[in-house]
Amino acid sequence: MRHLIDDSLPLTVKLLNHLAVLALSDRPLVAHRTALLARDLVAFHLKSEPELTCSVIARHVDREPEMLSSHRGQIAYRDAYNRAEHQEERARAAMDLYRAVLEGDVKRTAIVVLELLGRAAPQGASLATVRDLLAAEDGHPLCQLLASTIRPEWRNANAHEDFRWDPVNSTLLLGGHPADLEQVLDAAVRARTICHGFEHGVAVAYAQNAPLIIWGAEDSNYVGRDLSILQAAGQARFPVLDIRRHGDLVQLDVPDVSIETLREACRAILRSAVADPSVERWELRQTSSGRPPLCVDRMGTDAGLQVEESLGEIVDPLPFSALPLLANAMTNAGESSEAAASTVLCLAAAHVVGERDRLSPALAHGDPAAKNELISTTKLISDGAKAAAHLLEGPARRKLLAFAEVLAGDCHRLKTAPPFELVHGFVPADRTLRRHAPARLPWITRFDDSAV
């Protein structure tokens, strides 16, 4: 990527995302060429007219909801083309894809480029008009590149249902004239690549000229917040396949959650709750049919974040802050308070026992650092269990609070003990683990025989 950026440029998460998508383009030459042209165009105007340039780009960003809707439609058309069993179905999917790309991505990108050059496209301008405006800028290769994607006769044939597949001659007819189906598909994909390349180039230009950027009022649309959520999940190393909103509910389509990935799922929810505090309910929808979603509402995220706030930035907040999330998710899954408490008790006790066993060799040799680490970890587990208890009711709450208090009491008592005594310390955690294992996790253990 050294042809696009230099080594001194800080690689933010957003910029890395753009560069990664650019690197994976299936049309690398046209994608990189467009990105370079866009970078140079935007950088030039940022230096000469920063206020106007930022205003043009900001208006473009304001249309992210339309861009996302168009993107989803294009993916659907491409999938329909790939799934089609007959050429007639492929022809319709390819024509729909071309129209969506031209009317959506190409027209929007062209208008941004023209505005940067001081040209204004009439409101509601047709593709033919946009192409003529681009062609008139013969000194700008980016305009010529965009103009080369526009075939108004193809778009009009689709818009007016003036196309069909001729099964006798095995050809596509557009307005009665033969056309190559693969050429239509290729044109759509190429146009889409050019527009994506433009977005990547803008991102690079903004990163390289950060001091010149004039940011407007912070009023992120929901697409911007969705991107922040996806970024948060990525930083938590938890894959998200898709994101959808329904009011204050956010649904994340994710691979099937396992015992091994449950911690990352909780981390992703907590990080996402920070990224978008307006969300009231999070729903992780697993890939396999029949697996229930993992749902956490604001009560769960608030409790988890409160535990996390008490830790500072040095300590990994998991699994401590995951305990209230799981108690909340169990309740939302229709499980009883007793079942939720049993799961939290099992997971909390398992972590205490596991940490003690891991540190046992060092404790046996009298290592004070190992002793302090075990006591500190157990105290955090006690705090997480206490936070989870406050989300439950009745005997379940009392049981969790009692366990948290026992752990806290052991931590206080063992502070003055020599390290080797902790090898056999925290006996209540052993008893609790035997009593409540295996953990019941309705999103996993119903389908997986593995136990915690």
Side-chain angles (χ1 to χ4, degrees):
M1 292 289 181
R2 289 184 176 177
H3 61 286
L4 195 60
I5 60 173
D6 57 59
D7 293 338
S8 64
L9 185 65
L11 294 178
T12 63
V13 173
K14 183 175 182 179
L15 181 58
L16 278 172
N17 191 29
H18 276 281
L19 295 176
V21 175
L22 179 60
L24 295 173
S25 173
D26 54 1
R27 304 292 177 93
L29 293 180
V30 69
H32 283 256
R33 183 188 177 208
T34 309
L36 281 167
L37 293 172
R39 180 202 65 182
D40 293 346
L41 175 68
V42 174
F44 173 81
H45 286 280
L46 277 174
K47 293 170 183 175
S48 59
E49 298 178 292
E51 188 170 347
L52 173 63
T53 302
C54 291
S55 175
V56 169
I57 299 300
R59 288 197 298 273
H60 182 53
V61 171
D62 286 342
R63 300 203 64 192
E64 281 181 330
E66 289 82 2
M67 294 163 68
L68 176 61
S69 178
S70 179
H71 170 76
R72 291 190 187 279
Q74 292 166 26
I75 294 297
Y77 293 139
R78 187 65 186 268
D79 288 345
Y81 181 91
N82 293 333
R83 291 194 310 266
E85 297 181 2
H86 305 287
Q87 289 293 88
E88 183 177 7
E89 296 169 347
R90 290 192 182 94
R92 179 164 292 279
M95 291 297 295
D96 284 342
L97 176 61
Y98 181 78
R99 173 191 50 77
V101 173
L102 268 289
E103 289 288 355
D105 293 358
V106 171
K107 186 182 283 189
R108 275 192 296 270
T109 303
I111 289 173
V112 172
V113 171
L114 290 169
E115 288 182 349
L116 288 173
L117 296 174
R119 311 289 186 267
Q123 185 73 24
S126 67
L127 277 173
T129 299
V130 171
R131 184 188 61 178
D132 292 343
L133 290 170
L134 290 169
E137 302 298 325
D138 55 5
H140 294 276
L142 187 55
C143 291
Q144 302 307 306
L145 201 58
L146 286 165
S148 70
T149 69
I150 301 175
R151 299 281 296 270
E153 68 275 15
W154 288 4
R155 179 267 179 203
N156 292 338
N158 177 273
H160 301 296
E161 284 292 321
D162 191 14
F163 75 95
R164 67 181 177 87
W165 177 257
D166 181 354
V168 176
N169 297 302
S170 295
T171 188
L172 176 64
L173 295 177
L174 301 179
H177 301 289
D180 187 335
L181 175 57
E182 292 297 328
Q183 185 181 1
V184 174
L185 178 65
D186 181 78
V189 173
R190 177 176 176 270
R192 198 163 180 257
T193 300
I194 289 170
C195 295
H196 289 179
F198 175 81
E199 301 292 339
H200 303 321
V202 172
V204 172
Y206 264 51
Q208 290 179 335
N209 298 276
L212 300 177
I213 307 303
I214 301 171
W215 300 104
E218 190 66 28
D219 185 22
S220 175
N221 58 58
Y222 73 89
V223 177
R225 297 197 299 274
D226 285 355
L227 292 174
S228 297
I229 291 169
L230 294 175
Q231 178 178 315
Q235 289 174 323
R237 301 193 176 188
F238 187 71
V240 174
L241 307 177
D242 199 1
I243 180 171
R244 300 279 182 169
R245 282 182 185 262
H246 301 276
D248 53 18
L249 162 69
V250 167
Q251 295 175 324
L252 302 176
D253 291 345
V254 302
D256 290 346
V257 179
S258 66
I259 296 292
E260 292 75 19
T261 62
L262 184 60
R263 176 182 293 198
E264 283 68 33
C266 291
R267 191 193 305 275
I269 292 174
L270 285 173
R271 299 275 61 76
S272 298
V274 173
D276 188 352
S278 69
V279 178
E280 292 289 336
R281 185 178 177 91
W282 301 89
E283 188 174 286
L284 304 190
R285 303 194 304 178
Q286 304 186 72
T287 300
S288 296
S289 61
R291 281 190 171 233
L294 191 158
C295 302
V296 177
D297 58 38
R298 182 175 289 279
M299 287 180 61
T301 55
D302 283 352
L305 290 173
Q306 285 174 5
V307 172
E308 183 173 323
E309 286 175 4
S310 67
L311 304 180
E313 298 182 358
I314 299 177
V315 180
D316 185 345
L318 297 181
F320 324 114
S321 57
L323 296 178
L325 256 69
L326 291 173
N328 180 254
M330 290 281 289
T331 302
N332 289 334
E335 301 288 339
S336 65
S337 289
E338 289 71 20
S342 179
T343 292
V344 173
L345 285 166
C346 177
L347 295 176
H351 195 73
V352 173
V353 172
E355 285 298 287
R356 183 197 62 197
D357 293 347
R358 180 180 69 83
L359 294 169
S360 285
L363 293 169
H365 284 85
D367 186 350
K371 169 190 166 181
N372 292 336
E373 181 180 351
L374 179 56
I375 289 176
S376 175
T377 298
T378 304
K379 180 61 171 64
L380 293 173
I381 288 291
S382 171
D383 293 342
K386 187 181 297 183
H390 290 301
L391 299 180
L392 303 177
E393 298 177 351
R397 171 184 286 193
R398 291 193 293 272
K399 191 179 296 185
L400 263 179
L401 286 174
F403 178 69
E405 290 170 3
V406 167
L407 288 182
D410 276 2
C411 288
H412 180 74
R413 178 177 59 81
L414 291 171
K415 276 185 179 180
T416 58
F420 68 84
E421 282 194 16
L422 274 69
V423 172
H424 303 291
F426 300 106
V427 174
D430 292 288
R431 291 197 297 265
T432 300
L433 182 59
R434 286 194 296 270
R435 186 177 304 122
H436 293 280
R440 174 177 173 78
L441 300 166
W443 325 278
I444 303 170
T445 50
R446 194 175 294 174
F447 312 93
D448 186 351
D449 292 334
S450 62
V452 177

